[in-house]
Amino acid sequence: MRRAARVVSSIVTLCVLAACGFDEARAARGARLDPVGLWYCLVYGEAAFGDWHVSLRLEPDGRVFSAWGLALGNREWRALSKWSVDDGVISFDDSRTRRRYEADLNRSTLGGTWRADAESGGWWCAPRDGALAAASAGLRRSAAAMAVPLVARSVKAPDYPRQAIREAREGRAVVCFLVDRNGFVVEPEIVELSDEVFRDPTLAAIEDSRFAVTDEPVPLRPGCRSYLYLLDVIR
Amino acid sequence: MGRWMFVSVAMLCVGGVASAQSGPDPRADSAGKTTIGSEHPTLAAGADAIRAGRYDQGIELTLQGLESEPGSRRVRAAALSNLCAAHAAREEPERAIEYCTQSLELNSSSWRAYSNRAYAHWLKGDYAQASFDLDSAALIAPKAPQVVTIRGMINEATHEPRIVIEEQQ
């Protein structure tokens, strides 16, 4: 009986963990991210329309659905291609935008790059609690919470590495991250980096940055920031 | 910091002591290093003194050696390059440039003389001329540590860093 209770307890625990798209323990152990679940994503890099938010739903059977912003009802979901994983990289296609989305599942959260004919960009997602989203009341609350925008409270500029100045090296770094309700940056990851010399100052700068605190019970919200390192010739 | 760095640079740019290797320096240039040997004791002593940071003594001995110890064009060019290095280490760029120029007139393939003259121009704040001389040194000895170091010093003086931040949210 006790053994059965322990088994049930373990199964329940596993189910709770599986319902969340983000498992800190898994990430800490270096295990691959489970992409199945609901995600609230920032998609950036579109030259014409800028950046926008989408919801993604990745089903265990391989189906992928997307919806603009915070999907509040079933009618808002649009089917994309099925997702597949090859050597730790998940990919799926959006035939309407002709984009191919890819993400490295060794990252701490779901996010990566998208490519279209002559364009490319990035995407970064925060997990949405599957249990909350299933209940309509919870969904409204979650949606409202998710709608709280990220407002930068302090933006820390990175220090230009002295070695890079001496070698006249310029470059670009894009870092994506999640922000908790206290405005702290969590789990920053470099998603684009033109030169390794800019990695440490970029991470240091984003970790020192702060966003506005919110009273809303928001889960983590995705954000990305790019840093362009330039050298102006002065004489 | 700059002066300390050049002391190290100058030491590396001093050409030849009796005990130095006689063949080409694989770290530096394909043109090789001119060894001022035992047949020029005063010049060799001058080079030693400059290398050890005794610039006044080194300058005096090298000037004496140039008068009393006739040598090949390459030996005289090396000695003049040493004088250039010593004056640059003493932050006397005008004298340094004078001696480096004389050295290059005798041996136009001396990357050390170009490098020393580049540093002297850097001291004066003439970064365009410093860069020009350093480019000449780099053509002969692109991987020479002194060339890399002085290039870094020029870049620091002539480049202003700027960072553009863009939010995606």
Side-chain angles (χ1 to χ4, degrees):
Chain A
M1 192 67 167
R2 279 185 191 170
R3 188 177 174 187
R6 279 202 299 271
V7 169
V8 169
S9 171
S10 300
I11 291 172
V12 168
T13 304
L14 284 171
C15 286
V16 168
L17 289 174
C20 297
F22 178 62
D23 181 353
E24 284 189 30
R26 183 187 298 125
R29 287 198 305 270
R32 281 186 187 163
L33 179 73
D34 180 0
V36 170
L38 272 169
W39 302 87
Y40 181 60
C41 306
L42 165 72
V43 180
Y44 64 89
E46 164 71 58
F49 302 113
D51 313 320
W52 67 87
H53 290 93
V54 298
S55 288
L56 284 179
R57 199 174 86 220
L58 277 72
E59 302 285 356
D61 61 2
R63 290 181 300 159
V64 182
F65 299 90
S66 77
W68 289 109
L70 302 159
L72 301 179
N74 289 333
R75 287 185 186 178
E76 300 178 19
W77 294 103
R78 182 171 64 85
L80 307 184
S81 77
K82 283 201 168 184
W83 60 267
S84 62
V85 176
D86 182 18
D87 198 22
V89 175
I90 186 173
S91 59
F92 53 88
D93 297 300
D94 181 344
S95 58
R96 192 166 79 181
T97 59
R98 296 167 72 172
R99 287 182 180 178
R100 181 166 188 81
Y101 289 83
E102 289 184 348
D104 182 352
L105 295 179
N106 292 310
R107 288 195 162 134
S108 59
T109 190
L110 190 64
T113 58
W114 61 262
R115 292 183 200 287
D117 293 332
E119 282 187 308
S120 62
W123 54 296
W124 203 250
C125 302
R128 282 175 63 181
D129 189 334
L132 268 182
S136 58
L139 180 63
R140 297 277 163 194
R141 183 163 146 267
S142 171
M146 274 292 194
V148 176
L150 275 180
V151 177
R153 203 182 78 195
S154 71
V155 177
K156 169 87 165 50
D159 295 324
Y160 208 114
R162 191 173 176 206
Q163 177 196 352
I165 299 174
R166 294 178 64 79
E167 296 172 6
R169 284 151 77 177
E170 298 181 311
R172 179 170 183 260
V174 178
V175 58
C176 290
F177 47 89
L178 304 177
V179 179
D180 66 18
R181 57 186 298 245
N182 293 317
F184 286 94
V185 169
V186 296
E187 301 287 348
E189 282 197 47
I190 301 279
V191 296
E192 287 179 38
L193 188 67
S194 64
D195 194 321
E196 269 302 319
V197 73
F198 300 117
R199 179 182 295 275
D200 287 349
T202 297
L203 287 173
I206 196 63
E207 284 166 0
D208 273 352
S209 296
R210 293 288 179 269
F211 292 82
V213 173
T214 176
D215 292 330
E216 295 287 340
V218 289
L220 300 169
R221 291 165 291 163
C224 295
R225 188 176 281 171
S226 69
Y227 298 93
L228 200 55
Y229 293 82
L230 300 169
L231 288 172
D232 297 328
V233 177
I234 52 175
R235 48 187 153 181
Chain B
M1 173 72 167
R3 184 167 188 277
W4 181 89
M5 283 182 71
F6 181 72
V7 169
S8 306
V9 170
M11 291 306 99
L12 294 169
C13 284
V14 171
V17 245
S19 60
Q21 64 185 30
S22 55
D25 182 350
R27 289 180 311 139
D29 59 303
S30 56
K33 180 162 65 176
T34 300
T35 302
I36 301 176
S38 55
E39 63 272 25
H40 307 102
T42 311
L43 287 177
D48 280 345
I50 293 171
R51 195 190 298 276
R54 301 191 304 271
Y55 303 120
D56 289 350
Q57 183 188 25
I59 288 170
E60 190 181 332
L61 285 168
T62 304
L63 287 171
Q64 279 176 19
L66 282 168
E67 265 193 68
S68 61
E69 294 169 356
S72 67
R73 285 171 69 94
R74 289 185 76 93
V75 167
R76 292 182 67 78
L80 288 164
S81 180
N82 291 347
L83 285 175
C84 171
H87 282 288
R90 285 163 47 134
E91 294 188 0
E92 297 167 350
E94 297 292 351
R95 301 298 305 274
I97 289 168
E98 223 174 272
Y99 283 120
C100 270
T101 304
Q102 290 177 33
S103 172
L104 287 166
E105 284 168 0
L106 293 175
N107 178 11
S108 60
S109 63
S110 170
W111 69 266
R112 287 182 177 80
Y114 280 120
S115 177
N116 289 340
R117 197 168 70 175
Y119 178 70
H121 284 300
W122 180 89
L123 279 173
K124 285 179 63 181
D126 187 351
Y127 303 118
Q129 193 59 51
S131 199
F132 183 80
D133 274 343
L134 200 66
D135 288 345
S136 300
L139 278 174
I140 304 164
K143 294 181 182 173
Q146 304 88 304
V147 171
V148 173
T149 299
I150 296 174
R151 175 70 66 201
M153 291 160 62
I154 294 171
N155 284 340
E156 274 194 293
T158 57
H159 290 76
E160 186 71 45
R162 176 166 60 94
I163 297 172
V164 176
I165 302 173
E166 197 176 284
E167 303 278 358
Q168 266 98 30
Q169 45 179 310

